[in-house]
Amino acid sequence: MLITITIFNRLYPIDLTNIAVQVDAQVLPDENIEDDETDEKSSDVIKTIGDSDYITWNTVELKNVTLNLTDKIKDKHDYIYDEAEQVIGNIEDFFGKPLRHNIPVFIHSGESYLVNHRHANYSFNMEYGKLANEAIVINVSDFGPIIRADLRLIFAHEIAHAFVHHIYGFNSIDDEWFQEGIAEFVARYKVDYSDIDAEHYMGLTGSIHETLLYYFENLDQYGVDLVPDDITIFKDTEQYEDYFLYESIFYFLSDQYGEEKLFEFIEQFSKLRTTSNPKNSDTIFNKVYGISEIEMVEQWKKYYKLIEQ
């Protein structure tokens, strides 16, 4: 299904037949809008080709993102207009570099023809070998009843994906633990939640490490039957399909080896799929940390008390 989205006289053709929204290769013009210069427009619409049904988007163009909310989302979550740049600022502070250009963001709750889109996605098109026009699409109805902290986390997670691609590389990386681990780590631990009720993100027992240990001790309550011996490289964590495990890897690397090494690791691993002669991940661990990936996995297990010290 092809939907053409018109916002501020720009066209965003989006194919909604797949879960991951793919955006045609167009380069957005650079934006130089101050944080407080917002321009809200109602009645911008999308129309399904060959059909008469419309969706109204309530649009605000900010410095780094153009937010588009359906009426239902605006009624319940219009605070995101004010919080989006704060979240992006937190992530920019962490990475030390800004986004390259403005990104369109669509937040809905399954209205009409957007019902085929599930959960939340950051997508881009690499057909021409350069970063093309991206989009973030979030379907809040797939996350159950959400509070302010939930939407901030979801938004931060998707924006973190954009930062990684803008800063370190534009090609898709096959390793889910790497892609989702960075995004979840940044969204949970580098974004400020202190102004809202977010205890379930900020920690149950005090320190982040203690909180993560608590989750590891109670993984069975979340439907994860973890067998440490089944994990010899970090990609093995993907068999459990749990973002918590991916997130824990990056917190461990940051806490034990520091952010400077973490950034070097992210940069080197991002090149893994962008070179004509890809290096294996074990080479990257040796280059950055001086030990093999297998040895690093064993340290990760000990850090979270999954095996004896």
Side-chain angles (χ1 to χ4, degrees), residues 60-305:
V60 172
E61 187 167 12
L62 304 174
K63 179 181 178 181
N64 291 288
V65 291
T66 298
L67 288 175
N68 305 278
L69 276 58
T70 58
D71 287 339
K72 289 181 181 178
I73 297 301
K74 183 184 177 184
D75 289 344
K76 294 182 178 179
H77 306 291
D78 63 344
Y79 51 80
I80 196 67
Y81 288 133
D82 298 319
E83 296 181 4
E85 290 294 336
Q86 171 192 325
V87 170
I88 293 169
N90 291 159
I91 299 175
E92 182 178 323
D93 288 344
F94 172 65
F95 283 113
K97 294 182 180 180
L99 292 169
R100 291 164 61 97
H101 54 244
N102 191 287
I103 299 173
V105 179
F106 302 93
I107 307 179
H108 67 98
S109 56
E111 294 92 332
S112 188
Y113 292 99
L114 284 178
V115 73
N116 286 334
H117 170 262
R118 313 304 303 181
H119 303 290
N121 302 100
Y122 162 72
S123 300
F124 60 97
N125 188 314
M126 279 302 302
E127 182 178 354
Y128 299 103
K130 62 181 180 180
L131 186 63
N133 185 22
E134 308 125 296
I136 290 172
V137 185
I138 299 171
N139 182 351
V140 299
S141 64
D142 282 337
F143 296 91
I146 66 172
I147 61 174
R148 196 166 188 165
D150 298 325
L151 185 55
R152 186 179 296 187
L153 178 80
I154 296 165
F155 175 76
H157 178 104
E158 301 307 326
I159 285 291
H161 281 309
F163 269 91
V164 172
H165 284 287
H166 281 212
I167 296 170
Y168 297 106
F170 301 148
N171 277 7
S172 176
I173 297 173
D174 295 335
D175 298 271
E176 182 176 280
W177 72 266
F178 179 81
Q179 291 273 38
E180 302 303 342
I182 298 171
E184 198 71 357
F185 165 75
V186 171
R188 287 189 182 274
Y189 307 123
K190 301 303 174 181
V191 171
D192 184 11
Y193 296 89
S194 62
D195 61 316
I196 54 179
D197 180 16
E199 290 182 0
H200 55 314
Y201 296 138
M202 301 307 291
L204 296 175
T205 58
S207 76
I208 294 173
H209 186 209
E210 289 173 339
T211 299
L212 293 173
L213 284 172
Y214 170 85
Y215 281 123
F216 269 108
E217 291 169 359
N218 295 275
L219 278 176
D220 57 330
Q221 297 182 23
Y222 303 95
V224 178
D225 185 16
L226 185 68
V227 180
D229 288 345
D230 289 346
I231 302 173
T232 56
I233 60 174
F234 286 121
K235 192 170 182 64
D236 292 337
T237 59
E238 294 179 6
Q239 65 187 294
Y240 298 102
E241 299 181 337
D242 194 303
Y243 282 18
F244 162 71
L245 295 178
Y246 313 153
E247 158 202 331
S248 75
I249 296 167
F250 285 87
Y251 182 79
F252 156 73
L253 292 175
S254 177
D255 186 52
Q256 294 296 286
Y257 292 93
E259 289 183 358
E260 184 176 348
K261 284 288 187 183
L262 182 65
F263 292 139
E264 183 183 356
F265 173 73
I266 295 170
E267 180 179 11
Q268 293 299 322
F269 205 95
S270 295
K271 294 177 181 177
L272 191 64
R273 299 290 187 271
T274 61
T275 58
S276 57
N277 183 24
K279 301 174 181 178
N280 62 49
S281 59
D282 194 59
T283 301
I284 302 300
F285 278 98
N286 273 294
K287 181 176 181 179
V288 177
Y289 294 109
I291 62 175
S292 69
E293 183 177 9
I294 291 175
E295 291 174 302
M296 187 65 80
V297 169
E298 291 304 299
Q299 288 190 19
W300 169 77
K301 291 178 184 177
K302 291 177 182 178
Y303 181 79
Y304 291 113
K305 300 182 180 179

